[in-house]
């Protein structure tokens, strides 16, 4: 074993779980302790101000200046009491992560330092936006943008070793009003969804509901690797995934990791993550070992989507930071290791009304039953009509390793309903048949009651990208490293579109047919039209790929093909119709997606080349030299070394091939660098030239790893990084 690897492993062998310090005695008091939430608002604001603020929060409205001053002051007092010196607007530019720029509360008055936070500073910030991706929306000379508080998401305190910072979740726009972030379209889409859902509910006779909001619970998968090994892997450091690494003797085949007992150092890490997140008001609920070795999952209780998206950003941030303290690196990449499962993010999505009903809860009464079937029809129409668009929201270089590989949902979008619900859909369709075709088990909406649906985990189909799981849909194709803003903004928009369609149809025919028949007809028509999107079988199977092709379902096999659909006429029209994105915003976002892909592959290419040239090749040559010297010496003594010579020849041929692979990747990489073209063309070049060359180089390197003297091999091996904790 190489000296560096040996040293790292000796360190790991001596590590033990890191203690948090004093544990909180009472979880309910700890939960949300670092959030300026309703309780703080109620106790610190005059009653009228509290009421006005609550209304703004619930309806996502802007605060007026007088109210903003009151809120800002109360927030500052609260934060300063808890040791905060600085505040920041906390936003989500289109980089996939969050951004912050801290300012202290300090202001000078007559040479004295005062702690101040104005309403103006609370509701608007002005970061220099020139270095954030804008996809061409904003020329650098007019680079200023502004951030605006999203009152649906509460402010929180981030406690770090040497102080606390007040974070105000904000949206980020250009001065001309274009969205430069992931939050703005999410907020716009939530409004559109609420508008169309309320319109439809009114038609169905609901007079109570004032607004509807999407709900989200994000199951987050991740890997942990010991930091002492992590730092010996420049590929992991630069790209988040291993670009080389031969298959270890043991992988995940024993299936002994999933739900296995949690290793003490890992559990200590999880416990600290949970404590930090509870303080931040993130309702973390579940922890467990995942399928692959050193892979884990965290899941919270679902919340309103705008908050849940922010909370998932915090989950990722806190996991990464706490991991360091425990001597781990938290890997959020979709595929850190070849040959074992990658990581995803299950996006559990539903819609809730302001009176607390889940619109995807199957009904117990005929009215509820009708409402549920309408919502189901809406989801079927949305996913079938806009499968291409939904696919773009999960399209990035990292997720290409997952989607379509036999461990993650396929790149083809389909909906799993389970047998019972599928039978109900079939029966409703059959109910429109005439005469002898009419089946005995037909049902009508608004009259029949749904048969009880099982909500049993065993019934779930893990191969479906979009599965109904009892009272919510689970979009399982989202990548583990992704921000959830975009998938949910698109989900909300396509559902709003479907709800608007249904409402429009009912409005047209209600007077003539009566409500029940009008609803029944549109629902059954949608079931018929979009039945092709339903699939309960094995999404990994080759038959499904053929069947999906026959049904005409799109299959965008890689990110670049998928991203190209983002800006089609259909999709631009949709975004514009619901005020979610303008055509300019759509185009800029598509460019950013392409550029992000190209950059990710470029970094991987560079990283692979540098490791190949400066680490693997020298190691292989040193090993070759030793073998050659040994064979030469033995031969000089007149010994028979035919088999060893053959092995030396084989080894040399592999090294030759490896050098060839380096030259090939260098050439393809240079070609891609020089042939930019449009962002889409550039991304295609990276996909078609650099990705295959990297794959070839890896294959040869992984072969060499099994032959080179272990003492020479510079990179920690899979057997080490996956199992040593
Ligand atoms: P699993 O899918 O692993 O069996 P659960 O049924 O516990 O797990 O749910 C997974 C996630 O779905 C959790 O985060 C949970 O809070 C969330 N969830 C449950 N109901 C809803 C809902 N109505 N809307 C959004 N998410 C929900
Ligand atoms: Mg799940």
């Amino acid at each position: 074993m190489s000296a560096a690897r040996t040293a790292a492993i000796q360190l790991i062998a001596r590590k033990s779980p890191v203690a948090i310090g004093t544990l909180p005695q009472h979880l309910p008091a700890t939960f949300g302790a670092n959030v300026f939430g309703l309780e703080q608002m109620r106790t610190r604001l005059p009653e009228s101000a509290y009421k006005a603020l609550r209304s703004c929060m619930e309806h996502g409205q802007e605060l007026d200046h007088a109210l903003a001053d009151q809120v800002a002051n109360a927030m500052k007092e609260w934060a300063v009491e808890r040791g905060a010196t600085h505040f920041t607007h906390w936003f989500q530019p289109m980089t996939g992560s969050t951004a912050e720029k801290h300012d202290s509360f300090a202001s000078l008055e007559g040479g004295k330092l005062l702690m101040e936070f104005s309403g103006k500073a609370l509701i608007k910030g002005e970061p220099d936006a020139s270095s954030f991706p804008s996809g061409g929306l904003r020329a650098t000379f007019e680079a200023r943008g502004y951030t605006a508080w999203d009152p649906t998401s509460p402010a929180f305190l981030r406690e770090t070793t040497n102080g606390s910072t007040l974070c105000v979740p904000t949206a980020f726009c250009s001065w001309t009003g274009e969205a430069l972030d992931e939050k703005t379209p999410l907020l716009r889409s939530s409004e559109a969804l609420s508008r169309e859902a309320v319109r439809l509910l009114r038609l169905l006779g609901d007079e109570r509901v004032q607004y509807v909001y999407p709900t989200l619970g994000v199951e987050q998968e991740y890997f942990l690797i010991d930091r002492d090994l992590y730092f010996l892997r420049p590929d992991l450091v630069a790209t988040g995934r291993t670009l080389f690494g031969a298959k270890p003797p043991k992988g995940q085949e024993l299936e002994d990791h999933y739900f296995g007992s949690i290793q003490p150092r890992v559990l200590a890490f999880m416990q600290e993550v949970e404590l930090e997140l509870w303080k931040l008001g993130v309702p973390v609920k579940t922890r467990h070992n995942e399928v692959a070795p050193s892979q884990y999952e965290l899941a919270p209780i679902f919340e309103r989507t705008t908050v849940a998206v922010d909370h998932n950003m915090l989950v990722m941030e806190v996991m990464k930071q706490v991991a360091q303290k425990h001597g781990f690196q938290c890997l959020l990449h979709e595929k850190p290791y070849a040959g074992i499962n990658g990581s995803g993010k299950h996006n559990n999505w539903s819609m809730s009304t302001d009176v607390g009903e889940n619109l995807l809860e199957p009904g117990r009464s005929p009215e509820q039953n009708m409402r549920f079937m309408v919502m189901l029809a809406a989801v079927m129409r949305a996913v079938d009509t806009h499968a291409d668009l939904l696919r773009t929201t999960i399209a990035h270089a990292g997720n290409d390793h997952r989607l379509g590989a036999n461990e993650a949902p396929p790149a083809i979008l389909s909906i799993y309903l389970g047998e019972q619900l599928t039978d109900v859909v079939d029966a409703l369709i059959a109910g429109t048949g005439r005469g002898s075709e009419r089946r005995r088990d037909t049902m009508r909406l608004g009259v029949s009651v749904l048969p009880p649906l099982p909500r049993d985990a065993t019934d779930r189909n893990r191969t479906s990208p979009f599965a109904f799981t009892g009272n919510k849909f689970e979009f399982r194709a989202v990548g583990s490293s992704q921000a959830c803003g975009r998938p949910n903004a698109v989900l909300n928009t396509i559902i709003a579109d479907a709800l608007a369609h249904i409402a429009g149809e009912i409005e047209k025919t209600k007077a003539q047919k009566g409500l029940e028949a009008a609803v029944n007809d549109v629902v059954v028509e949608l079931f018929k039209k979009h039945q092709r999107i339903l699939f309960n079988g094995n999404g990994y199977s080759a038959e499904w790929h053929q069947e999906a092709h026959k049904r005409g379902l799109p299959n965008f096999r890689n990110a670049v093909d998928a991203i190209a659909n983002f800006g089609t006429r259909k999709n631009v029209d949709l975004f514009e119709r619901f005020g979610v994105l303008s055509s300019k915003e759509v185009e800029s976002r598509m460019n950013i997606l392409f550029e992000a892909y190209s950059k990710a592959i470029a970094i991987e290419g560079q990283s692979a080349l540098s490791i190949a040239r400066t680490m693997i090749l020298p190691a292989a040559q040193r090993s070759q030299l030793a073998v050659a010297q040994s064979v030469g010496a033995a031969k000089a003594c007149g010994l028979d070394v035919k088999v060893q010579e053959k092995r030396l020849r084989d080894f040399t041929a592999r090294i030759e091939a490896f050098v060839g692979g380096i030259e090939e990747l260098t050439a393809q990489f240079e070609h891609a660098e020089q042939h930019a073209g449009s962002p889409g063309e550039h991304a295609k070049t990276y996909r078609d030239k650099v990705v295959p060359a990297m794959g070839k180089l890896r294959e040869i390197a992984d072969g060499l790893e099994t032959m080179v003297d272990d003492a020479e091999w510079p990179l920690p091996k899979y057997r080490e990084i996956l199992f040593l904790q």
Side-chain angles (χ1 to χ4, degrees):
M1 200 178 293
S2 76
R5 280 159 57 214
T6 308
I9 290 167
Q10 282 168 348
L11 285 173
I12 295 169
R14 287 187 198 98
K15 288 182 189 174
S16 47
V18 176
I20 295 177
T22 37
L23 285 171
Q25 296 303 304
H26 188 54
L27 188 56
T30 307
F31 183 76
N34 289 351
V35 179
F36 190 74
L38 287 180
E39 184 55 26
Q40 279 68 28
M41 292 173 193
R42 203 175 50 77
T43 50
R44 286 171 185 268
L45 285 170
E47 200 185 321
S48 59
Y50 170 69
K51 279 196 176 139
L53 178 59
R54 268 206 80 157
S55 159
C56 289
M57 288 169 67
E58 275 160 13
H59 299 94
Q61 290 155 349
E62 276 179 37
L63 278 64
D64 66 47
H65 282 283
L67 179 58
D69 277 333
Q70 278 177 304
V71 176
N73 194 51
M75 223 182 242
K76 179 211 67 188
E77 307 246 290
W78 170 79
V80 170
E81 277 168 27
R82 319 185 96 256
T85 51
H86 287 65
F87 71 93
T88 179
H89 280 199
W90 183 78
F91 55 103
Q92 298 172 30
M94 293 179 281
T95 53
S97 33
T98 56
E100 49 193 76
K101 175 190 159 233
H102 301 195
D103 274 304
S104 78
F105 292 119
S107 74
L108 277 182
E109 219 174 274
K112 263 179 67 182
L113 193 140
L114 300 177
M115 296 295 255
E116 260 183 15
F117 188 40
S118 68
K120 225 172 107 203
L122 166 65
I123 54 180
K124 219 165 227 182
E126 268 185 64
D128 176 3
S130 59
S131 296
F132 292 109
S134 79
L137 259 189
R138 179 179 26 75
T140 326
F141 59 85
E142 45 173 55
R144 289 181 324 146
Y146 70 89
T147 51
W149 185 31
D150 159 22
T152 64
S153 189
F156 56 90
L157 268 189
R158 280 292 267 134
E159 285 174 324
T160 38
T161 311
N162 294 326
S164 296
T165 308
L166 174 69
C167 301
V168 180
T170 52
F172 177 39
C173 296
S174 75
W175 278 106
T176 42
E178 279 119 1
L180 295 174
D181 68 347
E182 302 293 358
K183 192 68 175 284
T184 306
L186 181 66
L187 290 168
R188 292 175 184 163
S189 73
S190 309
E191 271 172 44
L193 178 75
S194 178
R195 203 165 52 237
E196 299 305 334
V198 171
R199 173 181 163 205
L200 183 55
L201 292 176
R202 284 282 178 283
L203 282 171
L204 297 181
D206 187 320
E207 293 298 332
R208 281 187 314 158
V209 169
Q210 295 300 315
Y211 63 91
V212 168
Y213 55 88
T215 52
L216 173 66
V218 187
E219 298 165 67
Q220 174 73 50
E221 292 178 340
Y222 61 95
F223 280 89
L224 291 178
I225 171 178
D226 191 276
R227 260 164 93 77
D228 284 307
L229 291 171
Y230 170 76
F231 285 125
L232 297 177
R233 297 276 330 205
D235 47 358
L236 271 181
V237 175
T239 72
R241 75 181 185 98
T242 52
L243 301 171
F244 303 100
K247 196 176 166 328
K250 175 183 188 268
Q252 65 187 44
E253 54 278 270
L254 296 180
E255 294 172 337
D256 53 355
H257 195 254
Y258 189 59
F259 284 11
S261 99
I262 303 172
Q263 202 261 10
R265 265 183 77 204
V266 173
L267 187 55
F269 153 81
M270 290 176 169
Q271 286 164 325
E272 181 159 0
V273 165
E274 287 161 356
L275 180 63
E276 281 307 306
L277 288 170
W278 280 327
K279 284 198 239 163
L280 290 167
V282 182
V284 187
K285 173 91 174 155
T286 311
R287 57 164 103 114
H288 63 81
N289 283 5
E290 257 301 328
V291 171
S294 77
Q295 189 188 29
Y296 311 92
E297 182 181 299
L298 173 153
I301 297 168
F302 72 95
E303 301 172 277
R304 189 184 181 121
T305 295
T306 44
V307 178
V309 165
D310 284 358
H311 280 172
N312 181 247
M313 300 307 284
L314 281 177
V315 164
M316 294 194 285
E317 233 170 87
V318 167
M319 284 200 313
K320 280 195 256 181
Q321 287 173 1
V322 173
Q324 296 191 10
K325 198 173 140 187
H326 290 254
F328 291 122
Q329 185 72 24
C330 175
L331 304 178
L332 294 172
H333 193 282
E334 283 70 22
K335 192 76 177 176
Y337 309 113
I340 57 172
N341 276 16
S343 298
K345 195 173 283 202
H346 291 181
N347 191 99
N348 293 271
W349 175 93
S350 187
M351 293 169 282
S352 178
T353 68
D354 57 345
V355 290
E357 298 160 302
N358 177 355
L359 292 179
L360 290 175
E361 185 73 50
R364 283 190 218 297
S365 66
E367 301 76 48
Q368 287 173 349
N369 167 25
M370 177 150 96
R371 188 180 72 185
F372 171 70
M373 296 311 277
V374 168
M375 296 301 156
L376 184 61
V379 173
M380 280 172 61
R381 182 188 193 270
V383 175
D384 189 24
T385 313
H386 301 294
D388 60 327
L389 184 55
L390 209 47
R391 175 69 179 88
T392 65
T393 69
I394 47 171
H396 52 104
N399 226 9
D400 270 4
H401 298 281
R402 253 181 100 234
L403 302 182
N406 280 358
E407 46 152 293
I412 307 164
L413 282 168
S414 65
I415 296 178
Y416 168 86
L417 287 188
E419 300 305 329
Q420 271 85 352
L421 198 50
T422 308
D423 285 349
V424 173
V425 170
D426 289 344
L428 275 160
I429 292 175
T432 58
R434 294 280 166 262
S436 61
E437 278 171 41
R438 187 181 285 260
R439 283 168 39 172
R440 208 161 37 85
D441 56 353
T442 55
M443 57 179 296
R444 282 190 74 81
L445 297 177
V447 183
S448 324
V449 179
L450 277 175
L453 299 172
R455 205 180 293 167
D456 175 4
T458 56
D459 188 43
R460 294 181 187 180
N461 179 337
R462 295 274 158 195
T463 68
S464 174
F466 207 90
F468 183 70
T469 47
N471 57 2
K472 63 187 191 285
F473 276 95
E474 197 166 323
F475 184 22
R476 299 206 183 104
V478 181
S480 49
S481 71
Q482 271 189 264
C484 295
R486 188 174 318 130
N488 285 288
V490 166
L491 207 44
N492 295 341
T493 309
I494 65 180
I495 300 288
D497 176 53
L499 296 173
H501 169 83
I502 296 174
E505 292 299 303
I506 297 175
E507 279 160 4
K508 264 191 257 164
T509 57
K510 184 179 161 190
Q512 178 211 344
K513 291 184 189 169
L515 177 68
E516 195 226 307
V519 174
N520 210 83
D521 287 357
V522 60
V523 167
V524 171
E525 191 194 305
L526 289 176
F527 283 165
K528 274 189 199 159
K529 187 161 172 205
H530 301 293
Q531 205 175 11
R532 66 171 190 165
I533 195 75
L534 299 183
F535 179 63
N536 289 336
N538 179 5
Y540 299 167
S541 68
E543 296 82 65
W544 169 234
H545 284 239
Q546 287 161 15
E547 168 66 19
H549 180 72
K550 250 195 266 161
R551 293 189 192 182
L553 300 177
N555 182 6
F556 300 104
R557 286 168 205 277
N558 57 72
V560 180
D561 284 348
I563 294 165
N565 293 299
F566 195 64
T568 57
R569 192 69 254 162
K570 169 184 82 89
N571 293 337
V572 171
D573 284 349
L574 172 79
F575 284 127
E576 290 199 321
R577 198 156 62 246
F578 292 94
V580 174
L581 291 172
S582 68
S583 68
K584 254 168 86 182
E585 287 170 331
V586 171
E587 194 194 326
S588 73
R589 264 151 222 265
M590 192 166 77
N591 288 342
I592 290 172
L593 289 172
F594 279 133
E595 281 161 9
Y597 178 89
S598 299
K599 284 177 194 161
I601 304 297
I603 294 170
E604 287 186 356
Q606 293 264 50
S607 184
L609 276 175
S610 110
I611 292 170
R613 284 193 197 120
T614 65
M615 296 175 79
I616 298 178
L617 182 59
Q621 286 171 329
R622 278 196 304 274
S623 204
Q624 180 194 36
L625 174 66
V627 176
Q629 281 171 338
S630 149
V631 169
K635 220 172 161 179
C637 299
L639 297 170
D640 179 8
V641 289
K642 268 200 237 52
V643 182
Q644 291 183 65
E645 273 179 335
K646 183 174 169 293
R647 189 175 176 279
L648 180 59
R649 265 198 302 279
D650 178 31
F651 191 28
T652 305
R654 285 177 191 248
I655 295 175
E656 277 289 295
F658 190 61
V659 176
I662 291 173
E663 281 174 1
E664 169 77 6
L665 179 55
T666 308
Q668 298 297 3
F669 184 71
E670 279 167 6
H671 173 85
E673 290 285 273
Q674 283 152 16
H675 293 76
S678 69
E681 285 159 12
H682 203 194
K684 263 193 201 133
T685 311
Y686 275 108
R687 178 196 64 189
D688 296 338
K689 305 282 181 196
V690 177
V691 171
M694 259 193 319
K696 258 205 307 213
L697 186 64
R698 175 181 189 143
E699 215 182 294
I700 310 167
D702 292 356
L704 282 173
E705 186 185 319
T706 64
M707 298 187 82
V708 169
D709 180 356
D710 191 46
E712 297 290 350
W713 196 255
L715 300 167
K717 297 183 172 182
Y718 271 22
R719 64 163 194 255
E720 293 154 355
I721 51 191
L722 286 172
F723 296 99
L724 302 185
Q725 284 175 342

